[in-house]
């Protein structure tokens, strides 16, 4: 599809009171390039600066506490050094005229005692082990059975999200996205395959959505609802994630989130099983960002048909720092190198060529 046929995708957009250069969002992408102390480095700064032509950048997930960490070298947002590192990122993106939200993250059970303080077990809504393995300081290890959070501990985790938002504000972010997707802690609370609690955070869809609700309420006290988004993934099925009725669960979550006047919901539209994403969009009275293998043509079609308000691109932005310009000019895209997704320092990170460098 030529640029002349991408009228909506490439046209200016707006999220609440925040103007965007186009309808293209850079999706959050874990890259494992943080430095000592999980601090964003100068290379991280350059990576985001290169991609500032996106209408909105949503950063890789950033753990809101030491407990929230799962993977090696992922950046945090809970120490002064991490805040300072992210401030260099936001300054660079803003200098290029870009907009950037930080993704607030707690991995829950998708961690390992080898990356936790004092080798404590990871936490989750229920003590249910995830399938799969995780890289640790001692190499690849199976996921462990997590420890179920006690009722009195939950307010402390919610407070960590609020503090993460406070820290993101100090770092100069335009807003934050709450990571409620991809099998991490909030998603673990939402789905009945990982949440078998019998207290006020388990059982009904309303109870299972309570943790998300309280996190949202704590974060919007910091940024205001119009600068807070939520990411959801109704049929994401990695890490043995499941729900007995995902349509009902996530329809409820979307309707509940609709009450707050949030900036957006950001929905991963891939996974196992059938799901009516248009119905989900109808339940949420606000901006709907679609994600999941979109190319330029499909994105434009989805915008035209009213099935999305913005579209996010992951791997395409990873491999093409000038993705917007390539769409504008109808130029072929760089191929991504999966071997460098989570390793390689500058290689496969800041060295993907722009159109100008190829010519």
């Amino acid at each position: 599809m030529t640029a002349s046929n991408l009228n909506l995708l490439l046209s200016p957009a707006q999220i609440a009171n925040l103007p965007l250069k186009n309808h293209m969002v850079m999706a959050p992408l874990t890259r494992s390039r943080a430095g000592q102390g999980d601090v964003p480095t100068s290379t991280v700064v350059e990576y985001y600066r290169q991609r500032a032509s996106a209408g909105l950048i949503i950063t890789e997930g950033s753990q809101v506490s030491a407990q929230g960490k799962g993977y090696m070298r992922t950046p945090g947002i809970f120490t002064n050094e991490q805040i300072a590192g992210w401030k260099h990122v936001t300054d660079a993106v803003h200098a290029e005229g870009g907009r950037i939200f930080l993704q607030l993250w707690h991995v829950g059970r998708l961690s390992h005692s080898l990356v936790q303080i004092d080798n404590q077990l990871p936490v989750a809504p229920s003590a249910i082990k995830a399938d799969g393995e995780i890289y640790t300081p001692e190499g690849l290890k199976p996921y462990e059975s997590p420890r179920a959070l006690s009722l009195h501990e939950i307010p402390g985790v919610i407070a960590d999200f609020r503090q993460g938002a406070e820290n993101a504000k100090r770092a100069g972010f335009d807003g934050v996205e709450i990571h409620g997707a991809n099998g991490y802690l909030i998603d673990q609370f939402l789905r009945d395959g990982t949440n078998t609690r019998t207290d006020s955070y388990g059982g009904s869809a309303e109870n299972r959505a309570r943790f998300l609700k309280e996190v949202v309420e704590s974060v919007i006290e910091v940024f205001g609802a119009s600068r807070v988004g939520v990411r959801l993934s109704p049929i994401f099925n990695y890490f043995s994630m499941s729900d007995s009725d995902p349509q009902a669960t996530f329809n409820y979550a979307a309707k509940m989130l609709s009450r707050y006047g949030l900036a957006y919901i950001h929905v991963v539209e891939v996974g196992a099983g059938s799901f009516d994403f248009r119905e989900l969009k109808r339940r949420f009275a606000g901006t709907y960002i679609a994600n999941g293998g979109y190319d330029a043509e499909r994105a434009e079609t989805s915008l035209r048909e009213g099935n999305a308000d913005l579209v996010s691109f992951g791997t395409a932005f990873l491999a093409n720092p000038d993705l917007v310009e390539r769409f504008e000019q109808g130029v072929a895209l760089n191929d991504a190198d999966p071997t460098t997704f989570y390793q390689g320092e500058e290689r496969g990170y800041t060295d993907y060529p722009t159109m100008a460098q190829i010519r």
Side-chain angles (χ1 to χ4, degrees):
M1 180 174 280
T2 63
S4 62
N5 295 322
L6 299 177
N7 295 330
L8 275 176
L9 186 63
L10 298 174
S11 67
Q14 190 154 322
I15 292 178
N17 60 353
L18 186 68
L20 310 178
K21 291 183 286 190
N22 50 62
H23 286 71
M24 295 174 60
V25 176
M26 177 176 164
L29 296 157
T30 298
R31 302 308 311 276
S32 297
R33 297 312 204 276
Q36 186 173 4
D38 294 334
V39 174
T41 65
S42 59
T43 311
V44 177
V45 174
E46 176 62 11
Y47 171 74
Y48 285 109
R49 186 201 66 77
Q50 290 176 346
R51 291 155 178 81
S53 58
L56 175 66
I57 291 173
I58 305 169
T59 73
E60 61 210 280
S62 299
Q63 55 263 18
V64 296
S65 65
Q67 184 194 71
K69 178 176 177 172
Y71 307 113
M72 305 284 286
R73 298 186 63 188
T74 55
I77 190 64
F78 60 92
T79 71
N80 288 330
E81 293 77 14
Q82 292 164 358
I83 295 166
W86 277 122
K87 183 65 167 61
H88 292 306
V89 172
T90 61
D91 285 348
V93 170
H94 289 151
E96 298 288 336
R99 304 290 194 181
I100 184 166
F101 277 32
L102 179 87
Q103 190 184 62
L104 299 171
W105 193 28
H106 191 306
V107 305
R109 69 177 185 168
L110 298 183
S111 184
H112 196 279
S113 57
L114 290 171
V115 300
Q116 292 286 311
I117 292 175
D118 297 329
N119 297 122
Q120 297 181 41
L121 284 173
V123 299
S126 302
I128 300 172
K129 179 179 176 292
D131 292 339
E133 297 177 309
I134 183 172
Y135 281 99
T136 75
E138 295 181 5
L140 200 60
K141 300 281 187 181
Y143 284 111
E144 299 171 303
S145 293
R147 177 179 65 80
L149 283 164
S150 66
L151 198 59
H152 77 269
E153 289 178 290
I154 291 175
V157 181
I158 293 167
D160 288 337
F161 276 92
R162 181 191 171 106
Q163 187 61 55
E166 294 273 11
N167 295 344
K169 199 168 191 178
R170 285 175 54 197
F173 283 95
D174 297 300
V176 291
E177 176 176 284
I178 296 166
H179 198 345
N182 298 93
Y184 298 116
L185 183 62
I186 293 173
D187 201 18
Q188 293 161 27
F189 269 94
L190 277 171
R191 304 213 223 176
D192 59 17
T194 43
N195 182 349
T196 57
R197 301 177 73 96
T198 57
D199 58 20
S200 58
Y201 290 90
S204 67
E206 180 180 5
N207 281 0
R208 286 181 280 118
R210 187 182 307 276
F211 182 70
L212 170 60
K213 175 179 180 288
E214 292 176 353
V215 169
V216 167
E217 290 173 347
S218 72
V219 170
I220 63 178
E221 289 178 359
V222 177
F223 264 101
S226 65
R227 296 297 179 96
V228 176
V230 173
R231 196 174 208 217
L232 301 171
S233 56
I235 54 173
F236 178 89
N237 63 316
Y238 293 99
F239 313 124
S240 54
M241 292 299 296
S242 66
D243 189 85
S244 62
D245 190 347
Q247 193 77 56
T249 295
F250 286 90
N251 281 354
Y252 177 84
K255 186 174 181 180
M256 179 269 290
L257 292 171
S258 189
R259 304 173 196 155
Y260 294 101
L262 297 176
Y264 61 80
I265 57 171
H266 183 188
V267 182
V268 182
E269 297 179 342
V270 293
S274 60
F275 192 89
D276 187 347
F277 290 101
R278 306 295 73 79
E279 176 62 23
L280 185 73
K281 184 178 185 296
R282 286 190 289 271
R283 298 294 179 110
F284 181 73
T287 297
Y288 179 100
I289 303 177
N291 171 268
Y294 279 82
D295 59 16
E297 181 175 3
R298 182 175 166 225
E300 180 71 17
T301 299
S302 188
L303 293 170
R304 287 182 185 278
E305 294 179 352
N307 294 327
D309 300 301
L310 299 168
V311 178
S312 73
F313 302 84
T315 304
F317 259 120
L318 180 156
N320 297 273
D322 57 347
L323 182 64
V324 175
E325 293 79 8
R326 287 173 185 262
F327 282 178
E328 287 173 344
Q329 298 184 34
V331 173
L333 305 185
N334 295 325
D335 292 327
D337 178 5
T339 66
T340 63
F341 282 179
Y342 310 109
Q343 61 182 349
E345 303 308 323
E346 293 87 354
R347 187 172 63 88
Y349 191 55
T350 55
D351 65 348
Y352 281 106
T354 63
M355 293 183 296
Q357 291 168 330
I358 292 171
R359 289 170 181 164

